[in-house]
């Protein structure tokens, strides 16, 4: 039986369900191979929140009173903000202690996004950003789900108030009007979830409109399930089916499951069955009303807040969490969560003053503190520059250490500094002319010498873009114009490449548009390079490259194709912070076949350049060469090292 007498929703079986949900999430984060679909615990939380908050709002709104919205928001602030803000500030401090400087800037940005409850949108944008997709997980990444819930808490009361006001004006039943409104929200959001998940699962996982239906589902249960009271055997079957659906989801789903979409119906409907069944008492059997589950459920918010930063800090210089370490992290999480629950959650959820406005003011101030603290860290890192004038000096020989046996002094600070490593990218990213996956526009950067007598172009994906600092330097030295046309994950070939398992149509359109622009520019020379594309057969890639190259050769364009750079097996930022001596990869394990050489074989006006000897030694590829950091991630060079390669690239290209 659904009992709504508890204003704060402290039903024992719901607390037990919370305990199950947070346990799934924690185990998934500790040992994803054990519970590959444990992320569905978040979806269970969404249903619970939708159920409890919608029921509470309906009661508050129909009871009347002008200040019920203020009262609701004040209670949410007291309930959620103190623990969340404390966790953010402690995590920011822990970042400075436990994480590489290479991760400070992005963590600071995400702390601010989490404090403002837009972290889900930050991660959604990062998931489709080719640079951001390679970022290591931040210690506040889990705030994405809290952001969706907070957006729900802000918008939902306004929707409820508007629907009830309109129903009364039209002489309709407020409850019936709410049911209609929630049904529309549920149906629209679920449809969006299915469509967007099929088109772009990385984006769909985080954005609000693909998740809102899960909260609406709980809300529909709160409104439509009133008075529902099945017999005890039926309730037992409902609980068994509901828990079974949740557990099956956690066991059978994985990172490869398109989610949320229609797959999310299984765990969410399971949660609905458990909540609808209500409190079960058959002899000694109490369903989810078990002491340990209720204990964990009561502390589920704090457990969720604290477990993830602890895992990220622990794994900063470790590949995974072992059994003993995982149990230790669980114990530490429970200990910290107990303190957070007892002295933060319980203390501040009770009114501290007679006015409901004061918590809102305090909450705004707390958010401001987080934003200022994270912004201050980001500002300090941004002021730390990269002195490119040091390239080639005795302290920073760079590639000369490999190609000319130049001496490499010890005790020299790396260039770029680790705090700038992840943002040491070619200028085409800052100028917004490196196109993301969905763009088809042939937007080019005008670099080199604007008054130059000759014109050269750069085409290809991000592995072509990484050479722009070197090619720009060559163009300026020779007083040539340079125009860049680069696009994420889009090689300059007629071979078919895929995106999310489907033909990359935007790449085809962009390539054709760029070819048209090149026809107008009539350049003298084109540089190109590209990453690996394992889904495209090598013969097809070779023919696709040869097709474009021969076409351009006929118009008088000579081509310099730079062999793809290796994919190293370490994250340079974390590795250099932990143990620089271990930041190496066997070269023969990370070099792909030279498809450019095969494609260029019958074409006399195509020159293939192999620069890998300037990045790697004979046997290994290291993170640092000549005191300059080579890699900003596991497969892109730093802009600083690319710039250091300019004279060597010019020589290899015969310029």
């Amino acid at each position: 039986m659904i009992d709504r007498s508890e204003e704060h929703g402290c039903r024992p079986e719901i607390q037990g369900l919370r305990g199950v949900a947070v346990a799934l999430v924690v185990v998934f984060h500790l040992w994803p191979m054990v519970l590959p679909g444990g992320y569905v615990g978040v979806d269970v939380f969404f249903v619970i929140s939708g159920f409890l908050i919608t029921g509470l709002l309906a009661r508050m709104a129909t009871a009347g009173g002008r200040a019920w919205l203020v009262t609701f928001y004040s209670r949410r602030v007291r309930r959620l903000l103190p623990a969340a803000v404390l966790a953010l500030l402690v995590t920011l401090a822990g970042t400075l202690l436990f994480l590489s400087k290479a991760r400070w800037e992005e963590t600071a940005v995400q702390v601010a996004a989490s404090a403002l409850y837009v972290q889900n949108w930050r991660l959604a944008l990062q998931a489709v950003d080719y640079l951001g997709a390679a970022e290591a997980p931040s210690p506040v990444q889990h705030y994405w789900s809290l952001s969706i819930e907070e957006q729900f808490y802000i918008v939902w009361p306004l929707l409820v108030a508007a629907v009830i006001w309109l129903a009364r004006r039209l002489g309709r039943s407020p409850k019936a009007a709410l049911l209609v409104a929630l049904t529309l929200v549920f149906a629209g959001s679920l449809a969006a979830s299915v469509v967007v998940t099929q088109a772009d699962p990385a984006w769909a996982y985080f954005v609000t409109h693909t998740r809102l239906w899960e909260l609406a589902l709980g809300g529909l249960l709160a409104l439509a399930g009133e008075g529902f009271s099945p017999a005890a055997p039926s309730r037992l079957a409902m609980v068994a089916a509901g828990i079974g659906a949740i557990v099956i989801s956690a066991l059978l789903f994985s990172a490869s499951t398109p989610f949320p979409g229609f797959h999310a119906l299984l765990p969410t409907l399971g949660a609905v069955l458990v909540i609808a069944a209500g409190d079960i008492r058959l002899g000694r059997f109490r369903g989810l009303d078990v002491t340990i589950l209720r204990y964990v459920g009561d502390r589920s918010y704090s457990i969720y807040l604290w477990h993830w930063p602890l895992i990220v800090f622990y794994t900063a210089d470790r590949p995974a969490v072992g059994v003993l370490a995982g149990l230790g992290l669980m114990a530490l999480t429970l200990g910290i969560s107990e303190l957070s629950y007892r002295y933060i959650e319980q203390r501040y959820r009770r009114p501290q003053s007679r006015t409901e406005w004061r918590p809102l003011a305090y909450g705004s101030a707390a958010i401001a503190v987080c934003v200022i603290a994270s912004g201050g860290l980001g500002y300090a890192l941004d002021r730390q520059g990269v002195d490119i004038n040091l390239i080639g000096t005795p302290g920073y020989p760079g590639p000369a250490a490999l190609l000319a046996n130049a001496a490499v002094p010890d005790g020299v600070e790396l260039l770029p500094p680790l705090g700038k490593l992840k943002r040491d990218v070619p200028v085409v990213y800052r100028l917004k002319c490196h196109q993301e996956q969905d763009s088809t526009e042939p937007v080019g950067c005008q670099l080199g010498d604007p008054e130059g007598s000759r014109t050269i172009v750069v085409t290809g994906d991000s592995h072509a873009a990484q050479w722009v600092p070197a090619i720009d330097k060559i163009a300026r030295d020779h007083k040539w114009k340079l125009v860049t046309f680069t696009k994420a994950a889009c090689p300059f070939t007629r071979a078919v490449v895929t995106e999310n398992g489907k033909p990359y149509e935007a790449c085809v359109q962009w390539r054709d548009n760029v070819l048209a622009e090149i026809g107008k520019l009539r350049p003298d020379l084109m540089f190109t390079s590209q990453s690996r594309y394992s889904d495209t057969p090598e013969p097809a890639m070779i023919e696709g490259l040869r097709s474009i190259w021969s076409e351009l050769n006929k118009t008088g364009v000579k081509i310099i194709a730079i062999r793809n750079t290796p994919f190293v097996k370490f994250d340079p930022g974390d590795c250099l912070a932990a143990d620089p001596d271990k930041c190496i990869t066997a070269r023969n394990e990370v070099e792909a076949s030279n498809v450019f050489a095969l494609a260029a074989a019958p074409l006399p006006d195509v020159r293939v350049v192999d620069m890998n000897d300037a990045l790697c030694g004979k046997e290994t590829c290291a993170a640092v060469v000549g005191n300059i950091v080579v890699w900003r991630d596991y497969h892109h060079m730093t802009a600083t090292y690319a710039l250091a390669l300019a004279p060597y690239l010019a020589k290899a290209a015969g310029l």
Side-chain angles (χ1 to χ4, degrees):
M1 180 177 181
I2 298 179
D3 179 9
R4 290 172 180 75
S5 61
E6 296 276 0
E7 180 173 310
H8 298 291
C10 294
R11 287 171 34 181
E13 75 280 4
I14 288 184
Q15 293 305 92
L17 185 59
R18 279 183 168 137
V20 171
V22 78
L24 293 177
V25 173
V26 171
V27 173
F28 166 68
H29 284 156
L30 286 170
W31 305 297
M33 297 300 292
V34 174
L35 209 60
Y39 53 79
V40 300
V42 171
D43 304 88
V44 174
F45 276 124
F46 286 159
V47 174
I48 294 173
S49 294
F51 171 78
L52 295 175
I53 296 304
T54 302
L56 174 61
L57 286 171
R59 292 193 298 275
M60 293 180 72
T62 53
R66 294 184 176 182
W68 71 268
L69 274 175
V70 175
T71 300
F72 173 80
Y73 288 132
S74 177
R75 290 178 180 178
R76 289 294 90 197
V77 166
R78 295 198 312 267
R79 173 70 181 90
L80 300 173
L81 269 186
V85 168
L86 176 64
L88 285 175
L89 292 175
V90 172
T91 301
L92 188 62
T95 296
L96 305 182
L97 293 174
F98 301 113
L99 297 186
S100 163
K101 287 184 179 180
R103 296 171 66 175
W104 288 7
E105 182 179 15
E106 179 57 30
T107 300
V109 172
Q110 291 198 27
V111 167
S114 298
L116 295 169
Y117 289 103
V118 293
Q119 171 72 327
N120 64 311
W121 290 100
R122 170 67 185 177
L123 293 178
L125 293 172
Q126 195 175 50
V128 298
D129 174 12
Y130 197 67
L131 285 178
E135 297 279 0
S138 85
V140 294
Q141 185 168 301
H142 60 315
Y143 272 71
W144 75 268
S145 62
L146 302 179
S147 296
I148 289 178
E149 290 210 17
E150 190 66 22
Q151 293 160 30
F152 166 74
Y153 295 146
I154 293 172
V155 175
W156 212 247
L158 301 177
L159 174 65
V160 170
V163 169
I164 290 178
W165 176 84
L166 183 61
R168 286 172 173 167
R169 289 289 300 268
L170 298 176
R172 305 292 184 181
S173 165
K175 180 180 176 181
L178 280 176
L179 278 171
V180 171
L182 289 190
T183 300
L184 293 175
V185 171
F186 170 81
S189 176
L190 178 57
S193 184
V194 172
V195 172
V196 178
T197 299
Q198 291 177 344
D200 192 346
W203 173 266
Y205 191 85
F206 293 113
V207 294
T208 307
H209 54 282
T210 62
R211 295 285 190 167
L212 196 58
W213 67 268
E214 301 179 44
L215 294 140
L217 181 60
L220 287 172
L221 175 62
L223 296 177
E226 193 168 12
F228 180 70
S229 182
S234 298
R235 285 189 279 130
L236 180 60
M238 291 169 63
V239 170
I243 293 297
I246 295 169
V247 172
I248 288 173
S249 302
L251 290 173
L252 299 185
F253 290 178
S254 67
S256 63
T257 303
F259 204 86
F262 67 87
H263 285 96
L265 283 167
L266 185 58
T268 53
L269 289 176
V272 166
L273 286 173
V274 174
I275 297 171
D279 191 15
I280 297 177
R281 299 183 180 276
L282 295 175
R284 294 185 177 182
F285 181 71
R286 294 292 183 269
L288 294 179
D289 184 9
V290 180
T291 301
I292 183 62
L293 286 180
R294 281 191 284 108
Y295 176 87
V296 174
D298 288 343
R299 292 150 184 81
S300 58
Y301 182 55
S302 283
I303 290 172
Y304 188 81
L305 287 175
W306 293 103
H307 84 284
W308 180 244
L310 293 175
I311 293 173
V312 171
F313 293 154
Y314 178 81
T315 56
D317 56 354
R318 298 174 181 86
V321 180
V323 175
L324 292 179
L327 294 175
L329 287 170
M330 280 187 179
L332 183 58
T333 297
L334 287 174
I336 296 175
S337 299
E338 175 64 29
L339 296 175
S340 176
Y341 173 76
R342 183 178 300 179
Y343 297 109
I344 304 298
E345 286 192 63
Q346 293 298 93
R347 175 183 176 184
Y348 288 102
R349 73 188 304 169
R350 293 187 294 271
Q352 304 294 308
S353 65
R354 293 182 179 179
T355 174
E356 296 287 4
W357 288 101
R358 186 169 295 178
L360 300 179
Y362 288 161
S364 300
I367 291 173
V369 169
C370 276
V371 173
I372 292 171
S374 56
L377 175 58
Y379 177 75
L381 292 171
D382 189 59
R383 287 181 60 85
Q384 186 180 20
V386 179
D387 189 354
I388 60 174
N389 294 319
L390 294 174
I391 296 173
T393 62
Y396 298 92
L402 292 174
L403 301 177
N405 293 319
V408 181
D410 295 328
V412 176
E413 184 180 356
L414 296 178
L415 192 72
L418 289 186
K420 299 292 291 185
L421 181 62
K422 297 299 183 182
R423 296 293 173 259
D424 191 35
V425 298
V427 68
V428 293
Y429 291 95
R430 180 172 56 83
L431 296 178
K432 306 296 185 184
C433 48
H434 178 75
Q435 299 302 286
E436 295 300 333
Q437 282 96 324
D438 59 347
S439 174
T440 62
E441 293 301 313
V443 179
C445 275
Q446 311 293 321
L447 303 175
D449 184 350
E451 305 300 325
S453 57
R454 301 181 69 191
T455 300
I456 61 176
V457 296
V458 176
T459 61
D461 57 16
S462 62
H463 279 226
Q466 71 180 342
W467 287 102
V468 166
I471 300 170
D472 184 34
K473 177 70 163 55
I474 294 170
R476 286 184 281 111
D477 289 345
H478 287 78
K479 299 187 183 304
W480 295 340
K481 297 176 184 177
L482 171 62
V483 183
T484 68
F485 297 105
T486 58
K487 175 177 169 64
C490 182
F492 204 59
T493 175
R494 284 200 168 93
V496 176
V497 295
T498 59
E499 180 190 28
N500 296 325
K502 302 175 183 177
Y504 192 178
E505 296 295 342
C507 180
V508 175
Q509 296 175 37
W510 174 84
R511 179 205 65 208
D512 291 342
N513 291 337
V514 169
L515 281 171
E517 289 298 310
I518 290 175
K520 297 175 185 177
L521 288 171
R522 301 186 65 83
D524 302 278
L525 182 66
M526 183 183 86
F527 281 88
T528 189
S529 189
Q530 68 183 46
S531 182
R532 303 176 182 177
Y533 291 89
S534 57
D535 291 340
T536 303
E538 188 173 282
M541 180 61 75
I542 291 170
E543 288 303 316
L545 291 167
R546 194 175 290 165
S547 172
I548 285 184
W549 292 353
S550 60
E551 179 182 315
L552 291 173
N553 284 163
K554 291 176 182 178
T555 65
V557 181
K558 295 184 177 181
I559 294 167
I560 296 176
I562 308 172
R563 182 185 182 183
N564 184 32
T565 49
F567 280 52
V568 296
K569 295 184 177 181
F570 52 78
D571 180 275
D574 288 345
C575 184
L576 290 171
D579 188 353
D581 293 335
K582 294 184 179 180
C583 301
I584 58 174
T585 300
R587 181 170 173 173
N588 62 3
E589 296 179 2
V590 295
E591 276 190 318
S593 62
N594 192 347
V595 294
F596 280 179
L598 298 172
L603 302 176
D605 287 331
V606 178
R607 182 168 188 158
V608 178
V609 174
D610 187 347
M611 296 298 297
N612 287 354
D613 284 343
L615 284 82
C616 302
K618 292 182 179 180
E619 296 183 355
T620 61
C621 297
V624 178
V625 171
N627 287 329
I628 301 178
V629 182
V630 180
W631 311 100
R632 72 170 185 263
D633 58 32
Y634 70 94
H635 65 119
H636 292 102
M637 287 186 294
T638 62
T640 302
Y641 197 81
L643 182 59
L645 289 171
Y648 305 98
L649 176 61
K651 181 179 179 180
L655 302 176

